[in-house]
Amino acid sequence: MVAQQTFAPISRCRIEGRSKQTVAADLDGTLLISRSAFPYYLLVALEAGNLIRALFLLISVPFVYFIYIFISESFGIQTFIFITFAGLKVRDIELVSRSVLPKFYSEDVHPETWQVFNSCGKKYIVTANPRIMVEHFVKTYLGADKVLGTELGVTKSGRATGFVKAPGVLVREHKRAAIVKELGDNIMPDLGLGDRDTDLEFMSLCKALSPNKLLKPVIFHDGRLAQRPTPLVALLTFLWLPIGFVLSLIRVYLNIPLPERIVRYNYKILGIKLVVKGTPPPSPKEGKGGVLLVCNHRTILDPVVTAVALGRKVSCVTYSISKFSEMISPIKAVALSRERDKDAANIRRLLEEGDLVICPEGTTCREPFLLRFSALFAELSDRIVPVAIKTKQSVFYGTTTRGHKLLDPYFVYMNPMPSFEITFLEKLPVELTCKGGKSPIDVANHIQRTIAATLGYECTNLTRKEKYAILAGTDGTVPAKKQKSEEHHKQK
């Protein structure tokens, strides 16, 4: 056992001259502000498992914390691991670790420790957390070269057993042994970062010891929870769940038969905040067609809320919408086929009928970034009005890549007070449209920059395909029923 030592606080650790040094750092309480990994276990239990598993994990908190503090740190963590992971598919765990956790981890990064960690050349993470849970974030966003963490037992069918491989949960002497095994007896880290007495085992190996912008921003993330689920937040969220579900049904179905000009007042009664800025375009004159309302995409409800802000019916086109959502939509919604000529014909027909809302990003983005705008819309109309949309969802996210998209509008309205800010910008001058000699790509890029400047967001060249590749491991296309049936038959 290592003799008790007192190490310098992170505030006294210099960052200059460490580019050729090696650092070994703990995660919880060190690189992350929070000392408890419970919120991340709960996110995995909920998103890779189900609501029952997450509730059971929440109920176990007092029992597990008692074990952790008074009996065994290792056994307490092992209990969380078993409840969270037992029976889950490894692929589902990996997807959640890649698509859901980074957003919450990034908000929890300790700025001072991160600066010191990032100043070093070779970076190792030594953590009691399951490696599969943290590896994607620390390598992609913190620049770690290697993650030494607890390894989960896996069955031949690719499911987690809930138990851990030898030497067990990586705490105390196991952290020290993992570093020695990885680097050898003669090569020790130059710097050790930790936050608790049990980290002294591995920190004593290091030559120097000490108990925000990341390498890249978290642009894409998945999962339904908008807040990091600490035990208290998780408890309040689960208590709100049945109330929010009933409220969402009222908010969805009560407004369907009402005219848009009445719905706006109904929003106030039902706790939906709608702020309208700018000057909405006038109603289209008969026989002259409508304007193309080009919006950034935040939720599935963007076209509906835009119609309410306008106070009249509009049509919209979307890349993916369920038959049920299309049936109950208060405005006309037409699914795009991704066949260019067919989609162009549909858009022209809808514009002849009246105003049309289109979201050229092709998918939603939760963070303050705009994805690349598809240029197809610019070829089809010179009557273009950019619309900047900002939303606020405090408890649940109303978008998903892996979950049931049918539930997206309900999750938006399950928030206590969902907020929408719709800003109508000036109609695009003819000289800035294709009719004025601009290329479709130039028009699309100009509108993207204009909306981004209005919202204070950042433009990117990322696309729907890249989003789905990161979050779901797919290309983002929705196969037809016949194609799905053929693929299912082949798998059999």
Side-chain angles (χ1 to χ4, degrees):
M1 186 73 179
V2 179
Q4 187 74 9
Q5 302 179 57
T6 302
F7 300 124
I10 193 68
S11 58
R12 292 174 56 188
C13 187
R14 61 180 176 82
I15 62 176
E16 298 82 9
R18 295 195 181 277
S19 60
K20 295 183 179 180
Q21 292 187 350
T22 299
V23 60
D26 184 33
L27 192 62
D28 298 315
T30 303
L31 275 169
L32 301 180
I33 296 172
S34 172
R35 300 189 70 187
S36 171
F38 170 80
Y40 310 107
Y41 284 111
L42 189 134
L43 285 166
V44 174
L46 180 64
E47 298 293 344
N50 51 53
L51 182 60
I52 301 300
R53 185 188 291 264
L55 282 170
F56 188 66
L57 183 68
L58 179 60
I59 293 170
S60 74
V61 167
F63 170 71
V64 174
Y65 277 14
F66 179 85
I67 293 175
Y68 182 94
I69 296 170
F70 297 106
I71 300 177
S72 167
E73 178 184 3
S74 177
F75 186 53
I77 296 172
Q78 170 66 78
T79 305
F80 269 161
I81 290 174
F82 183 83
I83 296 172
T84 302
F85 295 98
L88 295 182
K89 292 180 180 178
V90 171
R91 172 170 168 73
D92 289 339
I93 299 170
E94 290 173 341
L95 283 174
V96 171
S97 300
R98 188 168 68 233
S99 63
V100 179
L101 300 188
K103 183 259 184 184
F104 296 95
Y105 276 134
S106 66
E107 293 173 350
D108 198 25
V109 171
H110 193 298
E112 288 184 300
T113 314
W114 157 240
Q115 286 184 344
V116 174
F117 182 80
N118 191 45
S119 68
C120 296
K122 196 76 172 177
K123 310 177 187 72
Y124 291 87
I125 297 291
V126 192
T127 177
N129 291 320
R131 177 187 55 79
I132 192 174
M133 191 167 84
V134 305
E135 188 169 45
H136 174 78
F137 173 75
V138 298
K139 282 189 172 182
T140 304
Y141 298 97
L142 300 185
D145 296 291
K146 183 77 174 183
V147 180
L148 306 176
T150 301
E151 295 292 339
L152 298 180
V154 180
T155 66
K156 292 181 179 179
S157 62
R159 292 182 180 271
T161 63
F163 299 103
V164 299
K165 295 180 180 178
V169 177
L170 227 60
V171 294
R172 298 183 180 274
E173 66 275 6
H174 294 319
K175 285 187 176 180
R176 178 188 178 97
I179 292 178
V180 172
K181 182 179 179 181
E182 178 67 25
L183 298 179
D185 292 318
N186 300 321
I187 305 175
M188 292 296 104
D190 299 284
L191 180 66
L193 304 173
D195 71 301
R196 62 196 80 193
D197 292 343
T198 56
D199 289 336
L200 300 181
E201 291 278 0
F202 87 84
M203 291 175 68
S204 63
L205 292 170
C206 305
K207 300 171 186 176
L209 308 114
S210 169
N212 139 33
K213 275 194 174 182
L214 306 183
L215 292 180
K216 56 191 293 190
V218 179
I219 298 176
F220 299 132
H221 56 88
D222 204 9
R224 292 297 191 183
L225 298 184
Q227 297 187 43
R228 192 165 62 92
T230 62
L232 179 59
V233 170
L235 177 61
L236 293 174
T237 300
F238 288 136
L239 290 175
W240 171 257
L241 197 59
I243 301 171
F245 180 68
V246 173
L247 184 58
S248 73
L249 294 177
I250 296 172
R251 286 169 167 172
V252 169
Y253 292 102
L254 189 61
N255 287 322
I256 289 176
L258 299 177
E260 278 67 24
R261 62 182 182 278
I262 303 298
V263 171
R264 185 167 179 179
Y265 297 104
N266 213 28
Y267 274 8
K268 294 180 180 180
I269 298 172
L270 296 174
I272 302 170
K273 185 178 180 181
L274 173 59
V275 178
V276 180
K277 297 182 177 180
T279 305
S283 300
K285 295 180 180 179
E286 190 173 348
K288 290 194 174 182
V291 298
L292 191 60
L293 298 156
V294 181
C295 311
N296 62 303
H297 204 4
R298 306 299 285 180
T299 74
I300 191 175
L301 295 172
D302 293 342
V304 175
V305 178
T306 301
V308 174
L310 283 168
R312 62 177 183 268
K313 293 287 183 186
V314 297
S315 301
C316 75
V317 289
T318 177
Y319 281 102
S320 59
I321 184 171
S322 69
K323 287 293 183 183
F324 181 73
S325 296
E326 186 176 348
M327 183 177 66
I328 68 169
S329 174
I331 64 174
K332 185 175 183 178
V334 177
L336 296 175
S337 64
R338 298 186 186 277
E339 296 177 20
R340 187 177 182 84
D341 293 339
K342 184 177 179 181
D343 290 339
N346 277 332
I347 292 173
R348 286 194 181 97
R349 176 177 56 80
L350 292 169
L351 278 170
E352 290 173 1
E353 296 174 2
D355 294 337
L356 176 66
V357 175
I358 189 169
C359 301
E361 289 173 285
T363 187
T364 56
C365 183
R366 298 172 174 179
E367 296 302 312
F369 296 89
L370 295 188
L371 309 188
R372 190 175 73 196
F373 277 30
S374 169
L376 175 61
F377 74 89
E379 303 173 18
L380 306 176
S381 177
D382 60 337
R383 300 190 301 275
I384 300 173
V385 175
V387 182
I389 299 177
K390 186 180 290 188
T391 63
K392 183 179 180 182
Q393 299 162 79
S394 58
V395 180
F396 301 108
Y397 283 118
T399 59
T400 183
T401 57
R402 300 179 304 106
H404 300 289
K405 292 184 178 294
L406 175 69
L407 299 176
D408 284 358
Y410 302 96
F411 271 104
V412 174
Y413 284 142
M414 281 169 64
N415 288 287
M417 187 174 287
S419 174
F420 301 89
E421 183 180 295
I422 310 293
T423 303
F424 293 99
L425 304 179
E426 293 293 328
K427 182 181 175 182
L428 211 62
V430 174
E431 58 268 23
L432 294 180
T433 67
C434 291
K435 189 176 181 179
K438 297 292 184 180
S439 72
I441 293 177
D442 287 339
V443 175
N445 289 342
H446 173 75
I447 293 177
Q448 184 199 36
R449 290 191 298 269
T450 301
I451 293 176
T454 302
L455 296 171
Y457 288 1
E458 186 176 330
C459 294
T460 75
N461 282 318
L462 297 171
T463 64
R464 174 189 174 91
K465 187 174 182 179
E466 289 165 300
K467 171 185 170 180
Y468 275 79
I470 293 170
L471 301 185
T474 67
D475 62 3
T477 58
V478 182
K481 288 184 178 180
K482 183 178 179 181
Q483 184 181 342
K484 285 183 180 179
S485 178
E486 290 175 354
E487 290 175 356
H488 181 68
H489 182 70
K490 287 179 181 179
Q491 290 175 357
K492 286 185 175 182

